[in-house]
Amino acid sequence: NITMCPINMYNYYMSTKNKRKNGKKINISKIVSNNNSLSPSNYRDINIKNNKKLKIRSFLKDLPFLRGYETGSSAYVENSKLAFIRTSNINRISSIVNNDSCIFLKPMVKDENRIIAHEDILVVTDANISDSAIFIKLTDNNIDYTFSSGVVKLNIKDNIDKYYLLTLLRDNYFKEQLLAVTPKGATLKHSGDKFLECFLPHNDNEWVIKKLSNVMKNICHMEYLCRNKLLEIFSIYDNELNSFDSTEHKNLISKILKNKRIDAGFYSSSVNDFFYKVEAIGSNTLKDLGFIIKRGPNLAKRDLGRSIQTNIPNKKYYRLIYPSDISDSGRIVKETYLGTSNKIWQLSQGDILFSGEGNVGKTFVICDNLNFTTNFHGIIIQPIKNEKELNLDRSIFVATFLYYMKHIGIMDKLSVGGQGGSFAIQYWDILRFPNISIDSFKLIAKLYNNAKDVDLFSFNFEDIKTLGIYQLNNLIIKGNNIIEEILSDIKNDSLKPEHLYIL
């Protein structure tokens, strides 16, 4: 029942025939087996130079995966002991499942066969297809996690290293293959079980498997620690501020005239309660704490001159980090490199990058000699130059408190406009920072910035859990870079000797 003329497929085949080493016909049987799809892109081969590759199916048991189920919104509740992992909880940014933003379900819809265990690997087959992550659960919070029908849980063979498999699944080679065989044209993509026929660039050298596994295992647990340490910092601020009781507040016309704002969120009870508690504990302005603020540089051609951006590291280029590159766990998830004919200024030790537009309130502090630039959507909070080193702990306090305000929803109410809002420089005079205890101040600084030598090629959880968020962030970036380098060499059949892969 093929109703479309296959002329497009024929033209595609003829135009690419001379570009392939071996001409390959598309048989009618293959078209029928591919749901009668006549889209040429669905028959595109994604090849690599190395022929040593295995289908995903070969890493899995006879029952290769278990698909999740849909409960319907009638099963959603505000809180329970059963949480629901959806496709949005798995993404390319993180190697671990984000279980902080789960929907809770009524306990009676629980399916014991579809409960996720520690170190289970999940793959998305609908919407953001091919995104893969591992489930890390190091503490027992008495919550069971299940998953939606757009997600599958892999049944991995006992002799397969899970973290090694995860490195292969998160490589772009898998994503490109699955996209090629997934029907186009739909708003929501569905790949079904086609992922089982995709290939992974396997190498059976023991040192390759061990190195990739240990680096990925470190990355996953470091991401977990980043998130938990940031939540611990938030709990410290909770304890400091919640020692004061709320009180009734009145929004007087004089207050509206003073602030020159009429948006309701700005005068909400949550905002009034928050600033009441900050004032009750004692507070300072940003200027009192010794900081100034300014916009990030404009990356327009008139300021940069001739310029080029690339994802390939280049020592002669500027490291460029956009505010949107800060994750919800307070780490940098992407770096771009910018070459310019004109000089532009950079952020350095003690400086804070603040997301001033879009997803307002995310922050990142530079705690060592790392320098980078940003764009006009970022707001830069700088300590007075001659006090930078002395103010590093204070920079961490300012940055984490701003992030705490985002976490509890205050920053969303203070920002203006749509599309995620904006918190421009002219609004900063309303902010106040509490005089927290010395012990809390020092603990927050240590949770964010605490250095220790760690070998990413081996895994020791006791070592990495002492690191600060900043150090964890840097090691995650290094780990992802070494994984990308090794996998690139495997795919290109140019693997170097073990001792040449260094961090």
Side-chain angles (χ1 to χ4, degrees), residues 289-291 383-392 394-395:
L289 294 172
F291 291 87
I384 299 171
K385 288 186 178 180
N386 59 1
E387 296 182 4
K388 276 196 173 186
E389 290 191 11
L390 297 176
N391 274 352
L392 184 54
R394 199 178 297 175
S395 294

Side-chain angles (χ1 to χ4, degrees), residues 191-457:
S191 64
D193 61 356
K194 296 185 189 320
F195 74 94
L196 293 173
E197 302 304 315
C198 293
F199 289 94
L200 298 179
H202 178 59
N203 186 289
D204 54 8
N205 281 323
E206 186 177 345
W207 70 264
V208 173
I209 296 173
K210 185 176 180 181
K211 266 186 165 51
L212 288 175
S213 173
N214 282 337
V215 173
M216 177 55 76
K217 191 171 185 178
N218 273 306
I219 289 172
C220 292
H221 287 78
M222 286 175 178
E223 289 181 8
Y224 173 88
L225 288 170
C226 272
R227 190 174 64 195
N228 280 24
K229 285 176 182 286
L230 191 61
L231 292 175
E232 186 175 349
I233 290 173
F234 293 160
S235 69
I236 293 172
Y237 287 126
D238 277 336
N239 293 334
E240 288 279 346
L241 295 180
N242 289 338
S243 59
F244 295 90
D245 295 329
S246 301
T247 186
E248 185 178 351
H249 304 278
K250 294 181 179 180
N251 289 312
L252 303 175
I253 191 66
S254 57
K255 186 177 180 180
I256 297 174
L257 294 172
K258 177 184 176 182
N259 292 304
K260 298 179 180 179
R261 292 182 58 171
I262 57 173
D263 42 316
F266 185 81
Y267 301 100
S268 63
S269 59
S270 58
V271 171
N272 282 323
D273 284 343
F274 175 77
F275 282 113
Y276 169 78
K277 292 176 180 178
V278 171
E279 293 291 349
I281 201 174
S283 68
N284 293 292
T285 64
L286 199 60
K287 185 177 180 180
D288 294 335
L289 294 172
F291 291 87
I292 58 173
I293 57 174
K294 61 180 181 180
R295 278 281 192 181
N298 193 331
L299 301 185
K301 183 177 180 180
R302 66 175 181 272
D303 294 323
L304 297 185
R306 295 179 62 188
S307 65
I308 184 172
Q309 286 192 33
T310 176
N311 293 324
I312 302 173
N314 190 317
K315 292 181 179 180
K316 296 181 180 180
Y317 288 4
Y318 294 98
R319 181 185 277 109
L320 173 62
I321 297 176
Y322 294 103
S324 58
D325 295 334
I326 306 174
S327 76
D328 291 335
S329 57
R331 62 184 183 85
I332 301 297
V333 296
K334 182 182 177 183
E335 290 183 346
T336 306
Y337 295 87
L338 176 68
T340 66
S341 57
N342 297 336
K343 288 186 177 181
I344 52 177
W345 58 265
Q346 301 182 76
L347 289 80
S348 57
Q349 186 179 32
D351 290 349
I352 303 167
L353 173 59
F354 176 89
S355 177
E357 293 181 9
N359 198 345
V360 175
K362 295 190 293 183
T363 61
F364 183 78
V365 190
I366 302 178
C367 298
D368 57 16
N369 58 358
L370 171 71
N371 289 350
F372 64 80
T373 190
T374 187
N375 68 352
F376 193 70
H377 297 295
I379 289 179
I380 314 306
I381 306 171
Q382 290 185 309
I384 299 171
K385 288 186 178 180
N386 59 1
E387 296 182 4
K388 276 196 173 186
E389 290 191 11
L390 297 176
N391 274 352
L392 184 54
D393 288 355
R394 199 178 297 175
S395 294
I396 293 170
F397 161 68
V398 169
T400 54
F401 188 72
L402 288 170
Y403 216 143
Y404 170 71
M405 291 175 63
K406 173 179 174 57
H407 173 69
I408 61 175
I410 298 300
M411 195 58 71
D412 290 337
K413 290 181 170 61
L414 296 181
S415 59
V416 298
Q419 302 298 319
S422 171
F423 194 68
I425 289 176
Q426 60 265 33
Y427 302 123
W428 281 72
D429 57 350
I430 65 174
L431 296 183
R432 296 293 184 273
F433 297 84
N435 294 326
I436 61 175
S437 67
I438 296 297
D439 289 341
S440 294
F441 184 84
K442 291 181 177 179
L443 179 56
I444 290 170
K446 187 175 182 180
L447 286 168
Y448 195 92
N449 179 37
N450 193 45
K452 183 178 182 178
D453 291 334
V454 170
D455 179 15
L456 282 175
F457 288 136

Side-chain angles (χ1 to χ4, degrees), residues 129-143:
I129 60 172
S130 84
D131 286 357
S132 311
I134 197 166
F135 185 74
I136 300 294
K137 187 179 182 184
L138 297 180
T139 56
D140 188 8
N141 57 4
N142 295 321
I143 296 177

Side-chain angles (χ1 to χ4, degrees), residues 153-168:
K153 181 175 74 170
L154 301 184
N155 291 327
I156 303 168
K157 290 179 179 178
D158 296 335
N159 64 331
I160 299 297
D161 188 297
K162 291 183 177 181
Y163 290 96
Y164 170 67
L165 177 58
L166 184 63
T167 63
L168 305 182

Side-chain angles (χ1 to χ4, degrees), residues 22-124:
N22 298 312
K24 185 177 180 182
K25 295 180 179 179
I26 306 297
N27 297 323
I28 272 296
S29 59
K30 189 170 184 179
I31 297 175
V32 173
S33 65
N34 201 22
N35 294 323
N36 297 337
S37 172
L38 293 176
S39 173
S41 62
N42 291 153
Y43 301 92
R44 181 165 56 103
D45 287 330
I46 310 295
N47 289 318
I48 56 176
K49 189 174 182 180
N50 191 347
N51 291 323
K52 294 180 180 178
K53 50 190 179 182
L54 298 173
K55 285 187 177 181
I56 291 178
R57 187 186 296 276
S58 63
F59 292 88
L60 308 177
K61 296 179 180 179
D62 292 337
L63 178 64
F65 66 87
L66 190 65
R67 185 171 294 281
Y69 61 103
E70 293 301 328
T71 62
S73 58
S74 60
Y76 297 170
V77 292
E78 186 173 341
N79 202 358
S80 79
K81 295 298 182 182
L82 181 63
F84 194 46
I85 300 294
R86 298 168 294 168
T87 57
S88 59
N89 296 109
I90 303 168
N91 55 58
R92 302 293 293 177
I93 291 175
S94 179
S95 301
I96 64 174
V97 177
N98 177 13
N99 56 353
D100 290 334
S101 58
C102 295
I103 289 176
F104 290 100
L105 302 176
K106 296 176 181 177
M108 67 275 299
V109 301
K110 181 177 179 180
D111 183 345
E112 293 291 347
N113 293 324
R114 288 177 171 80
I115 297 300
I116 308 171
H118 177 58
E119 294 186 332
D120 275 345
I121 293 180
L122 305 180
V123 178
V124 178

